[in-house]
């Protein structure tokens, strides 16, 4: 197995980047569709034990202490509820604060990390594409197939940046980009269907799996 692309076909680096991208996208889509962007916050009874006693059973000092305990509990619950209003946004904030790994990694936390990983591998693919040429087209591909694959691959590569970028923008409060984020997903699926359709129909998937014999 050769490291770089060439007359022999795709090199090992290109193949690893390709299938790593597929794995990250599958993980991101799975997490994105099953997670809830609003975390569930359990109800907390903030009434301290003994607060309901009356008839002079508690002193003024004790009443003040119980009231202070209740106020602190209610304030903490409000903070938890406000943070739960946008679980992904909270995970994003935790990442920059260095607290994302402070406990068990939640689905929103995975969503943030996978999004950043997709951007990183997109950068790696662009750099590697400039460092090594693409191999010759497979002879089984028609002229139309080559045009479809060319533009589908360019679109998919661009969307490795657009989809996470618009998602991050939504997290930080740019709700005006909701339409663009949705449109980016639609374009991604269209380009993916076009790409997979050609490589499966022409039976050229093996070029990305094993070293092909010939071009």
């Amino acid at each position: 197995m050769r490291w770089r692309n060439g007359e022999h076909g795709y090199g090992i680096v290109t193949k690893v980047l390709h299938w790593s991208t597929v794995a990250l996208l599958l993980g991101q889509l799975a997490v994105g569709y099953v997670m809830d962007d609003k975390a569930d916050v359990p109800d907390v009874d903030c009434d301290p034990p003994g607060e309901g006693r009356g008839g002079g059973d508690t002193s003024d000092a004790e009443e003040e202490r119980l009231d202070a305990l209740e106020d602190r509990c209610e304030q903490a619950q409000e903070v938890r509820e406000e943070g739960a209003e946008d679980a992904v946004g909270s995970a994003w904030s935790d990442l920059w604060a260095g607290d994302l790994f402070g406990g068990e990694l939640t689905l929103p936390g995975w969503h943030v990390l996978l999004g950043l990983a997709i951007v990183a591998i997109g950068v790696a693919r662009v750099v590697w594409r400039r460092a090594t040429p693409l191999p010759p087209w497979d002879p089984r591909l028609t002229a139309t197939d080559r045009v479809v694959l060319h533009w589908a691959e360019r679109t998919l590569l661009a969307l490795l940046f657009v989809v996470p970028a618009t998602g991050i923008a939504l997290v930080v409060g740019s709700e005006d980009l909701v339409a663009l984020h949705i449109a980016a997903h639609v374009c991604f699926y269209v380009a993916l269907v076009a790409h997979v359709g050609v490589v499966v129909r022409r039976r050229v998937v093996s070029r990305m799996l094993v070293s092909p014999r010939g071009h």
Side-chain angles (χ1 to χ4, degrees):
M1 178 70 72
R2 301 182 184 181
W3 290 95
R4 296 170 61 88
N5 303 332
E7 293 294 325
H8 60 88
Y10 292 104
I12 187 172
V13 175
T14 299
K15 293 180 180 182
V16 168
L17 290 174
H18 176 271
W19 293 112
S20 297
T21 304
V22 172
L24 287 171
L25 287 172
L26 288 175
Q28 180 70 310
L29 291 173
V31 170
Y33 284 121
V34 301
M35 79 173 186
D36 187 354
D37 63 353
K38 296 183 184 298
D40 293 328
V41 178
D43 292 330
V44 176
D45 183 5
C46 289
D47 292 334
E51 186 185 38
R53 294 201 302 265
D57 291 339
T58 57
S59 64
D60 290 344
E62 181 66 8
E63 288 287 352
E64 290 179 1
R65 187 185 72 82
L66 294 175
D67 288 343
L69 288 174
E70 183 177 5
D71 289 342
R72 286 197 295 271
C73 176
E74 291 175 347
Q75 290 172 3
Q77 182 68 2
E78 288 178 2
V79 170
R80 287 191 292 268
E81 291 176 351
E82 290 174 358
E85 284 299 314
D86 184 1
V88 177
S90 297
W92 179 256
S93 299
D94 289 343
L95 174 65
W96 289 114
D99 298 329
L100 192 59
F101 299 100
E104 182 180 354
L105 195 59
T106 62
L107 287 178
W110 278 112
H111 196 61
V112 169
L113 288 178
L114 286 171
L116 294 175
I118 289 170
V119 172
I121 204 165
V123 172
R125 293 188 64 162
V126 170
V127 171
W128 184 247
R129 177 69 65 89
R130 291 182 175 275
T132 182
L134 290 174
W137 288 106
D138 190 287
R140 289 169 289 185
L141 297 172
T142 66
T144 300
D145 292 333
R146 296 176 183 184
V147 171
V148 171
L149 285 179
H150 173 77
W151 287 107
E153 290 173 357
R154 281 178 173 266
T155 301
L156 290 170
L157 187 58
L159 291 173
L160 291 182
F161 300 97
V162 176
V163 174
T166 53
I168 291 171
L170 291 175
V171 168
V172 299
S174 300
E175 295 185 0
D176 294 339
L177 293 177
V178 170
L180 179 57
H181 190 59
I182 295 174
H185 275 84
V186 173
C187 290
F188 172 82
Y189 288 124
V190 171
L192 181 62
V193 168
H195 174 80
V196 173
V198 171
V199 297
V200 170
R201 186 175 70 253
R202 300 303 182 189
R203 300 179 181 179
V204 294
V205 180
S206 60
R207 297 192 80 196
M208 270 295 174
L209 296 176
V210 295
S211 296
R213 296 177 181 177
H215 301 334

